[in-house]
Amino acid sequence: MNLFQWTKGIFRFGQKKNDTPIWALKDPVTEAQALKERYGEDFTAFLYRRDLYDVLNQEALPLLQPTATNDFLARSYWAKKHPFNFPGPFYTGETDTCGTGVPEAPDNILFDGYCCEYIFRQPRNYQEFIAVKDAAAVEVFDSYACDGNQHWTGQACREWWRNREGITGRLLHDPEYRKQNGERGTLYVDYLNSAAKRDLQKYVFFLENGFYPPEEGTSLPEL
């Protein structure tokens, strides 16, 4: 990942004298620990906030790489978001077809039939966040966005959930989707048939109440 990101940076901007050299970039475990020390153990409090876009672009990314170019999550692609993105803060627009996202974040990203990327599961911890961040960093078109919390509504999430069978049908039966993802395509199907409903209920609760619900004792909204 680091080599690809470095090469991409040179291609797009030219190397700057004060850019972080390739050998000085931090590893994912170190980066995750740095975020945990800065924002606390509760990852959901870090991720599920209305001002996540500002926090990431103005604080978190500069904290991790203070002298690097960190604008790869600075754009919004809401009008062009891939319909398979699971509701949440991160989503993709029209990505490249280089296939770089899945190797970076295999627990969170899949391909469509054209090898374009989308978020099938939002990050569940700091290390998965780092993985998604790295996938965004190496995406040539910079088509990852982190402003989903500013756009999703409870009603939009419910409509998305009602139409989820269109996603499972393509993943299971469309030959191009099966070709691009192999057996990994079932990860999304399995997720939608298990933990996804409760995760989305919690996200709707956050959108409608302004905070992420505690694990126990909270009545979650219906989908």
Side-chain angles (χ1 to χ4, degrees):
M1 179 283 295
N2 289 337
L3 180 58
F4 194 102
Q5 182 180 0
W6 180 73
T7 304
K8 172 185 160 188
I10 293 177
F11 178 77
R12 292 174 57 221
F13 305 107
Q15 188 174 18
K16 299 177 182 179
K17 186 174 296 184
N18 64 342
D19 275 353
T20 303
I22 182 66
W23 55 86
L25 295 178
K26 297 176 181 178
D27 66 272
V29 175
T30 302
E31 289 189 321
Q33 183 60 36
L35 292 179
K36 188 178 297 185
E37 291 174 358
R38 171 64 177 81
Y39 296 103
E41 296 283 341
D42 185 357
F43 175 72
T44 60
F46 165 74
L47 193 68
Y48 296 104
R49 52 200 303 167
R50 290 289 185 180
D51 62 346
L52 180 68
Y53 174 90
D54 292 330
V55 169
L56 292 188
N57 285 287
Q58 297 176 17
E59 297 178 12
L61 296 181
L63 170 69
L64 298 178
Q65 296 182 25
T67 63
T69 301
N70 290 309
D71 65 346
F72 50 85
L73 284 172
R75 298 168 182 81
S76 179
Y77 297 101
W78 187 253
K80 296 182 178 181
K81 72 179 182 302
H82 196 294
F84 281 25
N85 284 290
F86 190 82
F90 291 100
Y91 65 92
T92 60
E94 298 174 353
T95 72
D96 64 43
T97 58
C98 298
T100 56
V102 169
E104 294 295 341
D107 294 324
N108 308 93
I109 296 170
L110 284 172
F111 299 128
D112 68 10
Y114 300 97
C115 204
C116 293
E117 301 165 13
Y118 56 89
I119 305 289
F120 82 87
R121 180 164 51 205
Q122 296 291 326
R124 296 168 291 181
N125 51 57
Y126 284 111
Q127 286 188 270
E128 286 191 8
F129 162 74
I130 294 297
V132 171
K133 180 266 294 182
D134 288 346
V138 301
E139 209 283 314
V140 173
F141 294 161
D142 284 341
S143 292
Y144 278 71
C146 65
D147 63 338
N149 292 348
Q150 300 175 22
H151 295 286
W152 281 108
T153 64
Q155 183 59 32
C157 289
R158 292 181 177 95
E159 291 175 1
W160 185 95
W161 182 252
R162 287 196 292 268
N163 294 321
R164 68 191 183 281
E165 290 185 1
I167 297 176
T168 59
R170 295 291 289 275
L171 288 169
L172 292 174
H173 305 299
D174 188 306
E176 290 302 317
Y177 276 71
R178 291 175 61 86
K179 176 182 176 182
Q180 298 297 344
N181 291 300
E183 295 302 318
R184 296 190 73 256
T186 60
L187 291 175
Y188 203 177
V189 177
D190 293 344
Y191 178 53
L192 290 173
N193 289 331
S194 57
K197 181 177 181 180
R198 186 168 180 81
D199 286 348
L200 190 56
Q201 287 177 299
K202 290 180 178 180
Y203 187 56
V204 170
F205 181 97
F206 158 73
L207 293 174
E208 296 179 342
N209 294 276
F211 64 95
Y212 201 73
E215 284 297 322
E216 303 294 339
T218 303
S219 178
L220 297 177
E222 293 296 327
L223 296 179

